[in-house]
Amino acid sequence: MNCLLGADIDSNALKTFAHNHKKAKIFCGPIENLDSKKISILTENRPIHAVVGGPPCQGFSTVGRGNPNDLRNQLFLHFVRIVQITKPYFVIVENVTGLLAKKNEKILRSILLEFENLGYILNVQVMSAHHYGVAEKRRRTIIIGSRINSEIQFPIPICDVQKNKKYVAPLMVGDVIYDLSDPNGKTHNHDLKYSKISNPSDKARLRFIPEGKGIRYEKDEKAYLPKKLHFKVDWKNMPEGRFRQTKFQRLHRKELGPTIMTNRHNYYHPTEDRYLTAREAAKIQSFPNDFIFMGPISAQWRQIGNAVPPLLGFALGSKLIELYEIAKAGTKDKDLKNSTRSIKKIKLVRALAFSYQKKKKEIIPIADSREEYQ
């Protein structure tokens, strides 16, 4: 698969994209300005087989305010417009799990209907990155659409599963963050001076935090910090009696990393009294060591935190190739008009997307098949 065009309004993200995808063209600006003429020129009229993207998700987030009326949610319509222009075989949309929340039901329904009206068979699932070799607890809603297949399957997990009667463990933080050099022995985006903690009180607090721990509740403060370093907060009158996000969250070498977000001040090294570097965060996200991020440190973290982990992307891309081969061997274009089925009930989509079979050391998403929707 060759990437032909990358589009974003973030100039630093596109500098990174251009540096790492040297054969691809870029479009920097509001997506509403990317029209059919520009697409044709930038792609040199080459056929587009897949349109893949992550329209802004702030309005759906379970971490933030999660406002379904956030105007940024409307950028989905421009995503649909690009699909309508390019008519790809496949569409992949990535978003936060909050997209499947009940408050966003109308939005999800409209998204599915828009694509189905364009002739796409759709499937939705919440995928966990750690199932595909990523050392991170990152769960995202993935929508796959195809106009050349009669059904859509998702990639089969390769980690945290039983395979040939043996348990395949997921990668942990300690498995990845100590190997940071590229094939030429150089290390990129790993400036330790920017990982230092400048506030003396914060640095003193971090020294008392054990590996894998942090402070979110009053009990944590009492367990880890001496009284002189306690926060001056009224725990009893705080919403839910806790910090909105854990403070001084040390990663643990023998555990999965937390979902890497866009703020570098949220994550601390497992054993050293400092923040993670951008390279360490990128490695947890499964970026290869020779993938270089451009722009200031804040921009690098924004790109890393907003990214789909590359190994999760690899699993999805491999599945598209598999679906293409299936279609090439079977379904023909003349059959496509009759192959679309009505949108699944949103409640069923939500139930299946969050359904998991749990075994001793195994978490496997329930397989998606057409029979389950009939």
Side-chain angles (χ1 to χ4, degrees), residues 96-235:
V96 291
T97 57
L99 176 60
L100 290 170
K102 190 171 181 59
K103 66 181 179 180
N104 293 319
E105 189 168 305
K106 289 182 180 179
I107 295 171
L108 179 58
R109 184 181 294 277
S110 65
I111 291 168
L112 298 176
L113 284 171
E114 288 283 353
F115 286 122
E116 186 169 272
N117 288 338
L118 293 178
Y120 288 86
I121 296 293
L122 301 165
N123 207 344
V124 185
Q125 185 170 304
V126 169
M127 298 182 71
S128 184
H130 85 281
H131 281 141
Y132 303 95
V134 183
E136 178 186 14
K137 299 173 186 173
R138 193 179 192 92
R139 301 177 74 223
R140 287 294 183 268
T141 298
I142 303 292
I143 301 172
I144 299 180
S146 171
R147 67 177 182 85
I148 62 173
N149 298 89
S150 59
E151 65 175 295
I152 308 295
Q153 297 107 16
F154 277 79
I156 296 171
I158 60 173
C159 297
D160 197 20
V161 293
Q162 293 289 133
K163 188 174 182 180
N164 298 326
K165 298 183 179 181
K166 291 184 179 180
Y167 175 66
V168 181
L171 289 177
M172 301 301 177
V173 168
D175 297 324
V176 300
I177 64 167
Y178 296 106
D179 173 22
L180 304 176
S181 299
D182 71 10
N184 296 318
K186 295 182 179 180
T187 305
H188 310 278
N189 307 113
H190 185 60
D191 197 329
L192 289 171
K193 74 177 181 181
Y194 287 108
S195 70
K196 293 180 179 179
I197 300 170
S198 57
N199 186 303
S201 296
D202 286 347
K203 189 170 184 178
R205 288 185 177 110
L206 183 61
R207 289 185 184 134
F208 288 94
I209 305 298
E211 184 173 356
K213 303 297 183 180
I215 298 175
R216 194 170 194 185
Y217 299 91
E218 185 178 16
K219 64 181 178 65
D220 301 326
E221 181 183 64
K222 290 180 177 179
Y224 307 131
L225 297 182
K227 282 190 176 181
K228 64 179 181 179
L229 292 176
H230 279 197
F231 297 95
K232 296 179 180 179
V233 298
D234 184 354
W235 289 102

Side-chain angles (χ1 to χ4, degrees), residues 48-61:
I48 308 298
H49 298 118
V51 172
V52 181
C57 55
Q58 286 84 347
F60 304 137
S61 178

Side-chain angles (χ1 to χ4, degrees), residues 5 24 37 51 92 94 104 114 125 158 201 228 230 235 241 250 279 290 292 317 342 344 354:
L5 175 63
K37 184 177 180 180
V51 172
I92 294 182
E94 176 264 353
N104 293 319
E114 288 283 353
Q125 185 170 304
I158 60 173
S201 296
K228 64 179 181 179
H230 279 197
W235 289 102
R250 272 199 192 276
R279 175 52 52 193
D290 58 358
I292 300 173
S342 60
K344 316 173 194 73
F354 286 97

